Amino acid sequence: AAAGLFTYTSPSVGGATITATYQQADTTNLLNSQTAWAVAFSPEAVDGLTVGYAVQEDDSAATVVDDMTMYVKYVYGSITAGYQKSEGDSTTDSADVETEGYGISYAISDEMSISYGSHTAETPNNSSDKDQEASAISASYVAGGMTIKASIGTVDNVAGVDATDRDTYEIAMSFAF
């Protein structure tokens, strides 16, 4: 936890939980105080659904950024799906950013699962930036204390630079003793 950070999380009331944070400014690392709050709602009438919203004002640097995010997640049996949309409004208009992402996972069995996700980031007030688009598919297999994971993905226009594309591949194995 950061020095001088205060966090409060309310008890769940009717499925809603509120979290608020405040970080006091200091003269070394944080020039201005920061505040944030979030609400997550899991209605009792719709089992598996969670909806959330959060905002933060970040005055820690010379450029002030107001961040907002909202999401929805739904779990139905072995399937989990989620969607998130975020915005970062900066005092420097060309630094504004908007992102959108979604993902879905399926637990085939207790040992094996697969997932797919996609994410887009754009700077709407910077005409020289291209939208960065990323997607990946992954799978995992667990046998006893061994886990094998693999993923393959692509990222187009890395950091908003046109035709700066990357392919990603990963295979990992871990053991728990």
Side-chain angles (χ1 to χ4, degrees):
L5 178 67
F6 168 79
T7 301
Y8 170 76
T9 302
S10 74
S12 179
V13 177
T17 303
I18 296 173
T19 303
T21 62
Y22 173 79
Q23 186 166 10
Q24 177 66 42
D26 63 39
T27 57
T28 307
N29 300 312
L30 187 63
L31 301 178
N32 297 300
S33 299
Q34 295 180 8
T35 57
W37 70 269
V39 62
F41 180 59
S42 297
E44 295 169 1
V46 184
D47 192 34
L49 177 67
T50 303
V51 178
Y53 178 80
V55 293
Q56 170 182 298
E57 184 174 320
D58 185 354
D59 299 335
S60 61
T63 303
V64 176
V65 178
D66 292 326
D67 295 313
M68 178 280 307
T69 191
M70 58 186 148
Y71 70 92
V72 62
K73 179 178 86 169
Y74 186 65
V75 179
Y76 181 77
S78 59
I79 298 172
T80 301
Y83 173 80
Q84 183 170 1
K85 183 147 179 81
S86 303
E87 291 183 6
D89 293 324
S90 172
T91 52
T92 305
D93 283 344
S94 63
D96 288 355
V97 65
E98 296 177 2
T99 66
E100 182 175 36
Y102 65 90
I104 188 165
S105 66
Y106 175 59
I108 298 167
S109 67
D110 287 344
E111 294 82 22
M112 187 168 195
S113 65
I114 59 171
S115 62
Y116 175 80
S118 178
H119 184 262
T120 301
E122 65 177 291
T123 50
N125 299 322
N126 188 339
S127 61
S128 64
D129 277 359
K130 300 295 180 189
D131 292 356
Q132 177 177 293
E133 298 174 345
S135 63
I137 189 166
S138 63
S140 66
Y141 177 75
V142 177
M146 179 188 72
T147 302
I148 299 172
K149 300 177 187 177
S151 70
I152 184 170
T154 63
V155 182
D156 295 337
N157 306 321
V158 174
V161 179
D162 190 25
T164 306
D165 303 339
R166 301 286 185 265
D167 292 325
T168 62
Y169 309 93
E170 180 178 5
I171 297 176
M173 182 181 295
S174 62
F175 299 92
F177 297 100

